[in-house]
Amino acid sequence: MTGTPPPYLPGHGLLAGRTAVVTAAAGAGIGGATARRLLEEGARVVISDAHARRLKESEDALAAEFGAGRVASLPCDVTDETRVAALLDLAEEHHGRLDIVVNNAGLGGTADLVDMTDEQWDKVLDVTLNGTFRCTRAALRRMKAAGAGGVVVNNASVVGWRAQRGQAHYAAAKAGVMALTRCAALEAAAYGVRVNAVSPSLAMHPHLVKVTTPELLAELTSREAFGRYAEPWEVANVIVFLASGYSSYLTGEVLSVSSQHP
């Protein structure tokens, strides 16, 4: 029915034996939903977030449900290359391998360009685009050296394709993530690593409510063909697909997770 989310799908063991890293995975957003879906599909998971307390709470909750041996965490600021390296090192040390990296960390904000400061622009670009670059580079270096393939999935946004007032910095960053994905994919194919991205339109989570006005949320929701926003786990399902063998011939692709019409 239009306006009603579909039933939550059970796992099918698509990622059994694989090790995945997910950035910005604390809380109830896309990153947290992705970590859960990866675990439900049999993966071992390392989660990170810039918020240490919330990250520990997420790790404890997932470990209680899926087993402490399958979940580890490390606070990580993706603007810090040293912390990024430590995060991926933990995955290899804790689980013995690195198969999947989901670059979910990003930062938004709203400001018209004429009012936007250099600091606002730089901060959004450094987290959202440069952070994805740092994590992708670190992942590809390790996957290339290991010689066992691997998958990188980046989180972009339909704003990288479609204009939205007050989002010049975020739109530029997400468009950059799309271009980075395509270029990295061409390079990584030579050593058997796939790089793809998802491009969600509107996935509801508590942080979005805090930084977006009710009027804008209502307007964005009205553009969706299903008459509702996506649940974070619906985006996570597509990330799982891209991480799994079901997408073995996809690389350099940006999949729109959206029912939005112009």
PDB file of all heavy atoms in Angstrom, residues 145-177:
ATOM      1  N   ALA A 145      46.640  -5.184  -1.797  1.00  0.00           N
ATOM      2  CA  ALA A 145      47.752  -5.951  -1.236  1.00  0.00           C
ATOM      3  C   ALA A 145      47.333  -7.365  -0.876  1.00  0.00           C
ATOM      4  O   ALA A 145      48.104  -8.316  -1.050  1.00  0.00           O
ATOM      5  CB  ALA A 145      48.296  -5.238   0.003  1.00  0.00           C
ATOM      6  N   ALA A 146      46.091  -7.520  -0.397  1.00  0.00           N
ATOM      7  CA  ALA A 146      45.618  -8.847   0.007  1.00  0.00           C
ATOM      8  C   ALA A 146      45.358  -9.743  -1.194  1.00  0.00           C
ATOM      9  O   ALA A 146      45.478 -10.973  -1.111  1.00  0.00           O
ATOM     10  CB  ALA A 146      44.350  -8.716   0.843  1.00  0.00           C
ATOM     11  N   GLY A 147      44.973  -9.163  -2.322  1.00  0.00           N
ATOM     12  CA  GLY A 147      44.751  -9.934  -3.537  1.00  0.00           C
ATOM     13  C   GLY A 147      43.546 -10.841  -3.488  1.00  0.00           C
ATOM     14  O   GLY A 147      43.469 -11.828  -4.231  1.00  0.00           O
ATOM     15  N   ALA A 148      42.564 -10.523  -2.628  1.00  0.00           N
ATOM     16  CA  ALA A 148      41.393 -11.392  -2.485  1.00  0.00           C
ATOM     17  C   ALA A 148      40.100 -10.694  -2.878  1.00  0.00           C
ATOM     18  O   ALA A 148      39.017 -11.134  -2.519  1.00  0.00           O
ATOM     19  CB  ALA A 148      41.292 -11.880  -1.034  1.00  0.00           C
ATOM     20  N   GLY A 149      40.206  -9.617  -3.639  1.00  0.00           N
ATOM     21  CA  GLY A 149      39.018  -8.879  -4.044  1.00  0.00           C
ATOM     22  C   GLY A 149      38.490  -8.019  -2.918  1.00  0.00           C
ATOM     23  O   GLY A 149      39.188  -7.723  -1.947  1.00  0.00           O
ATOM     24  N   GLY A 150      37.232  -7.639  -3.030  1.00  0.00           N
ATOM     25  CA  GLY A 150      36.617  -6.803  -2.021  1.00  0.00           C
ATOM     26  C   GLY A 150      35.597  -5.869  -2.635  1.00  0.00           C
ATOM     27  O   GLY A 150      35.445  -5.811  -3.868  1.00  0.00           O
ATOM     28  N   VAL A 151      34.884  -5.157  -1.752  1.00  0.00           N
ATOM     29  CA  VAL A 151      33.813  -4.268  -2.193  1.00  0.00           C
ATOM     30  C   VAL A 151      33.848  -2.986  -1.370  1.00  0.00           C
ATOM     31  O   VAL A 151      34.008  -3.033  -0.152  1.00  0.00           O
ATOM     32  CB  VAL A 151      32.424  -4.923  -2.019  1.00  0.00           C
ATOM     33  CG1 VAL A 151      31.323  -3.967  -2.481  1.00  0.00           C
ATOM     34  CG2 VAL A 151      32.337  -6.234  -2.775  1.00  0.00           C
ATOM     35  N   VAL A 152      33.687  -1.860  -2.043  1.00  0.00           N
ATOM     36  CA  VAL A 152      33.486  -0.572  -1.377  1.00  0.00           C
ATOM     37  C   VAL A 152      32.129  -0.040  -1.818  1.00  0.00           C
ATOM     38  O   VAL A 152      31.813  -0.045  -3.013  1.00  0.00           O
ATOM     39  CB  VAL A 152      34.591   0.438  -1.749  1.00  0.00           C
ATOM     40  CG1 VAL A 152      34.290   1.807  -1.128  1.00  0.00           C
ATOM     41  CG2 VAL A 152      35.956  -0.060  -1.297  1.00  0.00           C
ATOM     42  N   VAL A 153      31.330   0.381  -0.843  1.00  0.00           N
ATOM     43  CA  VAL A 153      30.028   0.988  -1.149  1.00  0.00           C
ATOM     44  C   VAL A 153      29.995   2.369  -0.507  1.00  0.00           C
ATOM     45  O   VAL A 153      30.165   2.500   0.709  1.00  0.00           O
ATOM     46  CB  VAL A 153      28.854   0.148  -0.632  1.00  0.00           C
ATOM     47  CG1 VAL A 153      27.527   0.791  -1.059  1.00  0.00           C
ATOM     48  CG2 VAL A 153      28.930  -1.285  -1.143  1.00  0.00           C
ATOM     49  N   ASN A 154      29.789   3.392  -1.315  1.00  0.00           N
ATOM     50  CA  ASN A 154      29.736   4.763  -0.839  1.00  0.00           C
ATOM     51  C   ASN A 154      28.297   5.247  -0.750  1.00  0.00           C
ATOM     52  O   ASN A 154      27.445   4.842  -1.545  1.00  0.00           O
ATOM     53  CB  ASN A 154      30.535   5.683  -1.761  1.00  0.00           C
ATOM     54  CG  ASN A 154      31.998   5.327  -1.799  1.00  0.00           C
ATOM     55  OD1 ASN A 154      32.576   4.938  -0.785  1.00  0.00           O
ATOM     56  ND2 ASN A 154      32.626   5.446  -2.961  1.00  0.00           N
ATOM     57  N   ASN A 155      28.050   6.134   0.197  1.00  0.00           N
ATOM     58  CA  ASN A 155      26.712   6.719   0.339  1.00  0.00           C
ATOM     59  C   ASN A 155      26.714   8.111  -0.281  1.00  0.00           C
ATOM     60  O   ASN A 155      27.337   9.029   0.235  1.00  0.00           O
ATOM     61  CB  ASN A 155      26.316   6.787   1.815  1.00  0.00           C
ATOM     62  CG  ASN A 155      24.836   7.128   1.990  1.00  0.00           C
ATOM     63  OD1 ASN A 155      24.113   7.325   1.016  1.00  0.00           O
ATOM     64  ND2 ASN A 155      24.393   7.198   3.235  1.00  0.00           N
ATOM     65  N   ALA A 156      26.027   8.251  -1.410  1.00  0.00           N
ATOM     66  CA  ALA A 156      25.897   9.547  -2.071  1.00  0.00           C
ATOM     67  C   ALA A 156      24.525  10.135  -1.734  1.00  0.00           C
ATOM     68  O   ALA A 156      24.025   9.950  -0.622  1.00  0.00           O
ATOM     69  CB  ALA A 156      26.099   9.396  -3.576  1.00  0.00           C
ATOM     70  N   SER A 157      23.901  10.830  -2.643  1.00  0.00           N
ATOM     71  CA  SER A 157      22.579  11.424  -2.409  1.00  0.00           C
ATOM     72  C   SER A 157      22.013  11.902  -3.731  1.00  0.00           C
ATOM     73  O   SER A 157      22.763  12.333  -4.611  1.00  0.00           O
ATOM     74  CB  SER A 157      22.683  12.610  -1.446  1.00  0.00           C
ATOM     75  OG  SER A 157      21.461  13.335  -1.413  1.00  0.00           O
ATOM     76  N   VAL A 158      20.692  11.863  -3.858  1.00  0.00           N
ATOM     77  CA  VAL A 158      20.083  12.396  -5.075  1.00  0.00           C
ATOM     78  C   VAL A 158      20.344  13.900  -5.210  1.00  0.00           C
ATOM     79  O   VAL A 158      20.226  14.453  -6.312  1.00  0.00           O
ATOM     80  CB  VAL A 158      18.565  12.131  -5.131  1.00  0.00           C
ATOM     81  CG1 VAL A 158      18.268  10.656  -5.241  1.00  0.00           C
ATOM     82  CG2 VAL A 158      17.846  12.760  -3.950  1.00  0.00           C
ATOM     83  N   VAL A 159      20.719  14.558  -4.105  1.00  0.00           N
ATOM     84  CA  VAL A 159      21.042  15.980  -4.183  1.00  0.00           C
ATOM     85  C   VAL A 159      22.267  16.205  -5.065  1.00  0.00           C
ATOM     86  O   VAL A 159      22.461  17.293  -5.611  1.00  0.00           O
ATOM     87  CB  VAL A 159      21.258  16.563  -2.765  1.00  0.00           C
ATOM     88  CG1 VAL A 159      21.674  18.021  -2.815  1.00  0.00           C
ATOM     89  CG2 VAL A 159      19.973  16.433  -1.949  1.00  0.00           C
ATOM     90  N   GLY A 160      23.089  15.168  -5.229  1.00  0.00           N
ATOM     91  CA  GLY A 160      24.218  15.267  -6.146  1.00  0.00           C
ATOM     92  C   GLY A 160      23.783  15.342  -7.601  1.00  0.00           C
ATOM     93  O   GLY A 160      24.574  15.757  -8.464  1.00  0.00           O
ATOM     94  N   TRP A 161      22.540  14.964  -7.884  1.00  0.00           N
ATOM     95  CA  TRP A 161      21.977  15.065  -9.222  1.00  0.00           C
ATOM     96  C   TRP A 161      20.975  16.210  -9.350  1.00  0.00           C
ATOM     97  O   TRP A 161      20.884  16.856 -10.379  1.00  0.00           O
ATOM     98  CB  TRP A 161      21.232  13.778  -9.580  1.00  0.00           C
ATOM     99  CG  TRP A 161      22.072  12.620  -9.966  1.00  0.00           C
ATOM    100  CD1 TRP A 161      23.160  12.622 -10.799  1.00  0.00           C
ATOM    101  CD2 TRP A 161      21.888  11.266  -9.546  1.00  0.00           C
ATOM    102  NE1 TRP A 161      23.659  11.355 -10.924  1.00  0.00           N
ATOM    103  CE2 TRP A 161      22.893  10.492 -10.172  1.00  0.00           C
ATOM    104  CE3 TRP A 161      20.977  10.623  -8.714  1.00  0.00           C
ATOM    105  CZ2 TRP A 161      23.012   9.119  -9.985  1.00  0.00           C
ATOM    106  CZ3 TRP A 161      21.095   9.255  -8.523  1.00  0.00           C
ATOM    107  CH2 TRP A 161      22.100   8.518  -9.157  1.00  0.00           C
ATOM    108  N   ARG A 162      20.194  16.435  -8.276  1.00  0.00           N
ATOM    109  CA  ARG A 162      19.058  17.348  -8.338  1.00  0.00           C
ATOM    110  C   ARG A 162      19.288  18.534  -7.411  1.00  0.00           C
ATOM    111  O   ARG A 162      19.654  18.364  -6.252  1.00  0.00           O
ATOM    112  CB  ARG A 162      17.780  16.612  -7.913  1.00  0.00           C
ATOM    113  CG  ARG A 162      17.515  15.367  -8.746  1.00  0.00           C
ATOM    114  CD  ARG A 162      16.417  14.531  -8.137  1.00  0.00           C
ATOM    115  NE  ARG A 162      16.259  13.267  -8.848  1.00  0.00           N
ATOM    116  CZ  ARG A 162      15.511  12.253  -8.416  1.00  0.00           C
ATOM    117  NH1 ARG A 162      14.849  12.372  -7.274  1.00  0.00           N
ATOM    118  NH2 ARG A 162      15.422  11.145  -9.117  1.00  0.00           N
ATOM    119  N   ALA A 163      19.027  19.718  -7.926  1.00  0.00           N
ATOM    120  CA  ALA A 163      19.283  20.926  -7.141  1.00  0.00           C
ATOM    121  C   ALA A 163      18.318  21.051  -5.974  1.00  0.00           C
ATOM    122  O   ALA A 163      17.140  20.687  -6.063  1.00  0.00           O
ATOM    123  CB  ALA A 163      19.164  22.162  -8.035  1.00  0.00           C
ATOM    124  N   GLN A 164      18.847  21.558  -4.866  1.00  0.00           N
ATOM    125  CA  GLN A 164      18.020  21.886  -3.704  1.00  0.00           C
ATOM    126  C   GLN A 164      18.590  23.131  -3.040  1.00  0.00           C
ATOM    127  O   GLN A 164      19.786  23.194  -2.739  1.00  0.00           O
ATOM    128  CB  GLN A 164      17.994  20.722  -2.713  1.00  0.00           C
ATOM    129  CG  GLN A 164      17.064  20.959  -1.525  1.00  0.00           C
ATOM    130  CD  GLN A 164      16.964  19.732  -0.645  1.00  0.00           C
ATOM    131  OE1 GLN A 164      16.818  18.600  -1.132  1.00  0.00           O
ATOM    132  NE2 GLN A 164      17.056  19.939   0.647  1.00  0.00           N
ATOM    133  N   ARG A 165      17.766  24.101  -2.830  1.00  0.00           N
ATOM    134  CA  ARG A 165      18.224  25.367  -2.254  1.00  0.00           C
ATOM    135  C   ARG A 165      18.880  25.141  -0.887  1.00  0.00           C
ATOM    136  O   ARG A 165      18.437  24.326  -0.084  1.00  0.00           O
ATOM    137  CB  ARG A 165      17.045  26.320  -2.101  1.00  0.00           C
ATOM    138  CG  ARG A 165      17.435  27.648  -1.494  1.00  0.00           C
ATOM    139  CD  ARG A 165      16.321  28.660  -1.518  1.00  0.00           C
ATOM    140  NE  ARG A 165      16.740  29.897  -0.882  1.00  0.00           N
ATOM    141  CZ  ARG A 165      16.065  31.039  -0.955  1.00  0.00           C
ATOM    142  NH1 ARG A 165      14.942  31.082  -1.654  1.00  0.00           N
ATOM    143  NH2 ARG A 165      16.507  32.113  -0.350  1.00  0.00           N
ATOM    144  N   GLY A 166      19.962  25.881  -0.655  1.00  0.00           N
ATOM    145  CA  GLY A 166      20.644  25.819   0.623  1.00  0.00           C
ATOM    146  C   GLY A 166      21.581  24.640   0.777  1.00  0.00           C
ATOM    147  O   GLY A 166      22.161  24.432   1.852  1.00  0.00           O
ATOM    148  N   GLN A 167      21.755  23.846  -0.293  1.00  0.00           N
ATOM    149  CA  GLN A 167      22.537  22.621  -0.199  1.00  0.00           C
ATOM    150  C   GLN A 167      23.730  22.601  -1.155  1.00  0.00           C
ATOM    151  O   GLN A 167      24.197  21.533  -1.554  1.00  0.00           O
ATOM    152  CB  GLN A 167      21.643  21.418  -0.506  1.00  0.00           C
ATOM    153  CG  GLN A 167      20.515  21.224   0.483  1.00  0.00           C
ATOM    154  CD  GLN A 167      21.040  20.894   1.872  1.00  0.00           C
ATOM    155  OE1 GLN A 167      21.813  19.958   2.046  1.00  0.00           O
ATOM    156  NE2 GLN A 167      20.637  21.663   2.860  1.00  0.00           N
ATOM    157  N   ALA A 168      24.262  23.768  -1.527  1.00  0.00           N
ATOM    158  CA  ALA A 168      25.355  23.801  -2.500  1.00  0.00           C
ATOM    159  C   ALA A 168      26.565  23.016  -2.038  1.00  0.00           C
ATOM    160  O   ALA A 168      27.169  22.268  -2.822  1.00  0.00           O
ATOM    161  CB  ALA A 168      25.754  25.250  -2.792  1.00  0.00           C
ATOM    162  N   HIS A 169      26.947  23.151  -0.755  1.00  0.00           N
ATOM    163  CA  HIS A 169      28.118  22.435  -0.253  1.00  0.00           C
ATOM    164  C   HIS A 169      27.879  20.933  -0.208  1.00  0.00           C
ATOM    165  O   HIS A 169      28.714  20.138  -0.647  1.00  0.00           O
ATOM    166  CB  HIS A 169      28.549  22.964   1.110  1.00  0.00           C
ATOM    167  CG  HIS A 169      27.457  23.165   2.122  1.00  0.00           C
ATOM    168  ND1 HIS A 169      26.119  22.893   1.889  1.00  0.00           N
ATOM    169  CD2 HIS A 169      27.529  23.617   3.412  1.00  0.00           C
ATOM    170  CE1 HIS A 169      25.411  23.177   2.978  1.00  0.00           C
ATOM    171  NE2 HIS A 169      26.243  23.614   3.907  1.00  0.00           N
ATOM    172  N   TYR A 170      26.708  20.535   0.287  1.00  0.00           N
ATOM    173  CA  TYR A 170      26.371  19.112   0.397  1.00  0.00           C
ATOM    174  C   TYR A 170      26.204  18.483  -0.987  1.00  0.00           C
ATOM    175  O   TYR A 170      26.692  17.380  -1.252  1.00  0.00           O
ATOM    176  CB  TYR A 170      25.093  18.967   1.212  1.00  0.00           C
ATOM    177  CG  TYR A 170      24.696  17.552   1.538  1.00  0.00           C
ATOM    178  CD1 TYR A 170      25.430  16.785   2.436  1.00  0.00           C
ATOM    179  CD2 TYR A 170      23.561  16.976   0.960  1.00  0.00           C
ATOM    180  CE1 TYR A 170      25.051  15.489   2.748  1.00  0.00           C
ATOM    181  CE2 TYR A 170      23.174  15.681   1.267  1.00  0.00           C
ATOM    182  CZ  TYR A 170      23.921  14.938   2.164  1.00  0.00           C
ATOM    183  OH  TYR A 170      23.544  13.651   2.471  1.00  0.00           O
ATOM    184  N   ALA A 171      25.546  19.204  -1.889  1.00  0.00           N
ATOM    185  CA  ALA A 171      25.344  18.705  -3.252  1.00  0.00           C
ATOM    186  C   ALA A 171      26.677  18.542  -3.971  1.00  0.00           C
ATOM    187  O   ALA A 171      26.908  17.545  -4.666  1.00  0.00           O
ATOM    188  CB  ALA A 171      24.433  19.647  -4.032  1.00  0.00           C
ATOM    189  N   ALA A 172      27.561  19.515  -3.816  1.00  0.00           N
ATOM    190  CA  ALA A 172      28.877  19.413  -4.450  1.00  0.00           C
ATOM    191  C   ALA A 172      29.657  18.228  -3.893  1.00  0.00           C
ATOM    192  O   ALA A 172      30.321  17.497  -4.642  1.00  0.00           O
ATOM    193  CB  ALA A 172      29.656  20.709  -4.223  1.00  0.00           C
ATOM    194  N   ALA A 173      29.564  18.030  -2.579  1.00  0.00           N
ATOM    195  CA  ALA A 173      30.273  16.905  -1.960  1.00  0.00           C
ATOM    196  C   ALA A 173      29.726  15.570  -2.452  1.00  0.00           C
ATOM    197  O   ALA A 173      30.494  14.649  -2.785  1.00  0.00           O
ATOM    198  CB  ALA A 173      30.160  16.999  -0.437  1.00  0.00           C
ATOM    199  N   LYS A 174      28.406  15.438  -2.511  1.00  0.00           N
ATOM    200  CA  LYS A 174      27.814  14.166  -2.928  1.00  0.00           C
ATOM    201  C   LYS A 174      28.022  13.907  -4.423  1.00  0.00           C
ATOM    202  O   LYS A 174      28.207  12.757  -4.833  1.00  0.00           O
ATOM    203  CB  LYS A 174      26.324  14.148  -2.580  1.00  0.00           C
ATOM    204  CG  LYS A 174      26.044  14.055  -1.087  1.00  0.00           C
ATOM    205  CD  LYS A 174      26.638  12.790  -0.464  1.00  0.00           C
ATOM    206  CE  LYS A 174      26.148  12.586   0.959  1.00  0.00           C
ATOM    207  NZ  LYS A 174      26.689  11.359   1.586  1.00  0.00           N
ATOM    208  N   ALA A 175      28.003  14.944  -5.243  1.00  0.00           N
ATOM    209  CA  ALA A 175      28.348  14.773  -6.654  1.00  0.00           C
ATOM    210  C   ALA A 175      29.795  14.314  -6.778  1.00  0.00           C
ATOM    211  O   ALA A 175      30.131  13.483  -7.633  1.00  0.00           O
ATOM    212  CB  ALA A 175      28.129  16.077  -7.416  1.00  0.00           C
ATOM    213  N   GLY A 176      30.655  14.847  -5.919  1.00  0.00           N
ATOM    214  CA  GLY A 176      32.044  14.407  -5.893  1.00  0.00           C
ATOM    215  C   GLY A 176      32.175  12.950  -5.499  1.00  0.00           C
ATOM    216  O   GLY A 176      33.014  12.219  -6.044  1.00  0.00           O
ATOM    217  N   VAL A 177      31.358  12.514  -4.546  1.00  0.00           N
ATOM    218  CA  VAL A 177      31.372  11.101  -4.150  1.00  0.00           C
ATOM    219  C   VAL A 177      31.006  10.206  -5.335  1.00  0.00           C
ATOM    220  O   VAL A 177      31.612   9.145  -5.542  1.00  0.00           O
ATOM    221  CB  VAL A 177      30.413  10.855  -2.969  1.00  0.00           C
ATOM    222  CG1 VAL A 177      30.194   9.353  -2.732  1.00  0.00           C
ATOM    223  CG2 VAL A 177      30.955  11.505  -1.695  1.00  0.00           C
TER     224      VAL A 177
END
